Amino acid sequence: MEHISTELTCLVADPNHYQTILFGGSGTAAVESMISSVSGNEAVVIVNNGAYGKRMCEIAAVYGIDYLEFKSPFDDAIHLADLERCIQSSGRKISHLAVVHHETTTGLLNNVKELGVLCKKYHIDMMVDAMSSFAAVPIDLKEMNISFLASSSNKNLQGLPGVSFVIAEKSKLESLKDRKPRSYYLNLYAQYQYFAEHAQMRFTPPVQALYALRQAIEELKQEGVAKRYERYMASWTTLITGLKRLDLSYLVPEAHHSKLITSIREPYSDFDFQSMHDFFYSKGIMIYPGKLEGLRTFRIANIGDITSKDIEFFLELLEDFLDGIEVNK
Ligand SMILES: *Cc1c(COP(=O)(O)O)cnc(C)c1O
């Protein structure tokens, strides 16, 4: 676990000043630990431009944290001037800002580096849900002014689900020492402190998922983070070229797109997602429904151990499926 912790830190920061704190649990456990442990008595601004930003608001609400929701379009860059106005005019002392790096709902990639500059100006510490950007999209905690980052074993790390983690600046962790905990199990400082002393998690670790994660990190190092992102982006280009050929459109414009997951508009108003899902499922491909309220979309991810070839296979099947609809209409 020490090896895993250090390796994860090294992907985004200097392990002398930053520490990875491991939890058993899915990604939301790490986000919940971060939000509930780090927020103090002052207000937290939470950027909501998709379902995962909204989830952070819901977590803050559960813990009774004083938060300020900054709503931003789901398909466009965060308007920094608006956000700055929100910070200035709130009338509250703001200690933290929480944001999702890559909104897995839509494929929108938020410009965390710009937000880091804004946070620095107002002495605000930044918490980032980097669940589906970590290990592909370049991240440097110090350079981006990120104090706390949450991610998990099963997205771009390509491991098994079951391990999530927070990577944090050690000095910021130490400052949580005398904080009254809001949660017992997800107490970030206690988990950090216990690991520092015993090199163990406080509670039963998900051993099998940790062995898989160790192997996944090995495979990531063999491929390289930059090369992995290149492979993902090549798959995305294949996907988008195919979508255009099939006359399908997607939500987020390329300039703000992660090129990792794509929300595609359903082609007809009475489109039946479930039958498309079942069609692909029978061919060994799992596709996801959309996750934005009021918008009829489905999502295709091109992360994981897949290549452009797999995407081409997917596109052929998609064409067959759409042709089948035409025939039956
Ligand atoms: C996957 C994901 C999560 C966590 O979801 P879990 O189901 O708890 O693993 C959180 N935030 C983002 C942006 C995600 O993509």
Side-chain angles (χ1 to χ4, degrees):
M1 284 188 272
E2 260 186 326
H3 168 80
I4 288 171
S5 168
T6 307
E7 291 287 344
L8 292 175
T9 311
C10 287
L11 291 172
V12 293
D14 173 0
N16 290 314
H17 301 292
Y18 293 80
Q19 175 74 39
T20 297
I21 302 115
L22 301 167
F23 286 95
S26 81
T28 307
V31 176
E32 185 160 341
S33 171
M34 177 172 78
I35 301 274
S36 65
S37 305
V38 173
S39 312
N41 296 322
E42 293 169 351
V44 182
V45 172
I46 302 178
V47 178
N48 174 358
N49 53 5
Y52 290 105
K54 183 166 172 247
R55 184 177 293 180
M56 291 201 289
C57 293
E58 288 165 358
I59 291 170
V62 164
Y63 287 94
I65 290 162
D66 181 15
Y67 75 97
L68 220 145
E69 180 176 6
F70 178 77
K71 278 202 171 151
S72 180
F74 66 82
D75 58 354
D76 197 10
I78 296 167
H79 295 282
L80 281 184
D82 289 352
L83 178 57
E84 182 160 12
R85 221 168 294 124
C86 162
I87 291 169
Q88 286 171 340
S89 65
S90 74
R92 297 190 240 173
K93 179 86 185 75
I94 291 160
S95 58
H96 294 85
L97 179 137
V99 66
V100 175
H101 187 198
H102 171 223
E103 252 303 343
T104 324
T105 3
T106 53
L108 180 69
L109 189 64
N110 286 317
N111 190 332
V112 169
K113 198 174 170 183
E114 273 182 9
L115 293 172
V117 173
L118 183 68
C119 285
K120 194 161 251 166
K121 184 172 168 191
Y122 291 92
H123 305 288
I124 291 170
D125 287 342
M126 192 159 55
M127 297 186 257
V128 177
D129 170 353
M131 211 63 62
S132 60
S133 55
F134 187 85
V137 182
I139 296 174
D140 182 320
L141 297 192
K142 189 164 192 285
E143 196 191 302
M144 293 171 148
N145 191 29
I146 301 170
S147 303
F148 300 89
L149 173 142
S151 191
S152 71
S153 52
N154 56 291
K155 294 209 169 144
N156 304 330
L157 277 170
Q158 299 185 181
L160 289 180
V163 183
S164 61
F165 52 89
V166 176
I167 310 180
E169 215 177 320
K170 284 182 187 173
S171 62
K172 304 282 180 193
L173 282 167
E174 290 296 344
S175 73
L176 302 175
K177 188 165 186 247
D178 298 318
R179 183 74 61 73
K180 182 179 179 296
R182 291 187 175 94
S183 162
Y184 186 78
Y185 196 89
L186 296 175
N187 182 337
L188 186 64
Y189 180 78
Q191 191 85 346
Y192 159 68
Q193 176 57 30
Y194 193 90
F195 197 81
E197 242 171 65
H198 306 280
Q200 288 283 348
M201 291 190 197
R202 277 161 82 215
F203 307 107
T204 310
V207 180
Q208 64 284 56
L210 285 162
Y211 273 102
L213 180 52
R214 185 176 69 175
Q215 177 61 24
I217 291 169
E218 205 40 57
E219 290 173 18
L220 174 66
K221 284 169 76 175
Q222 278 169 20
E223 183 171 24
V225 173
K227 282 271 182 279
R228 177 161 294 184
Y229 197 22
E230 277 173 31
R231 171 166 60 82
Y232 290 171
M233 289 193 287
S235 292
W236 189 76
T237 304
T238 304
L239 175 68
I240 296 309
T241 308
L243 292 180
K244 283 188 183 139
R245 194 178 69 234
L246 298 173
D247 232 2
L248 289 165
S249 66
Y250 59 98
L251 292 183
V252 175
E254 182 162 353
H256 313 301
H257 206 292
S258 65
K259 307 185 175 178
L260 301 177
I261 187 159
T262 305
S263 252
I264 300 159
R265 289 191 188 85
E266 292 182 354
Y268 311 100
S269 57
D270 59 347
F271 192 77
D272 181 10
F273 172 80
Q274 194 59 43
S275 70
M276 179 170 63
H277 168 275
D278 296 349
F279 169 79
F280 277 111
Y281 192 74
S282 74
K283 310 276 182 193
I285 293 176
M286 179 81 99
I287 66 167
Y288 266 46
K291 209 174 160 60
L292 275 181
E293 286 157 29
L295 269 178
R296 299 193 55 110
T297 58
F298 63 94
R299 290 182 296 160
I300 300 302
N302 47 275
I303 66 174
D305 191 20
I306 58 173
T307 65
S308 290
K309 277 247 164 312
D310 300 298
I311 299 291
E312 277 165 19
F313 176 59
F314 162 78
L315 287 165
E316 280 167 28
L317 290 174
L318 181 60
E319 187 162 12
D320 289 350
F321 179 76
L322 294 174
D323 283 351
I325 291 182
E326 280 300 332
V327 170
N328 294 327
K329 255 184 178 268

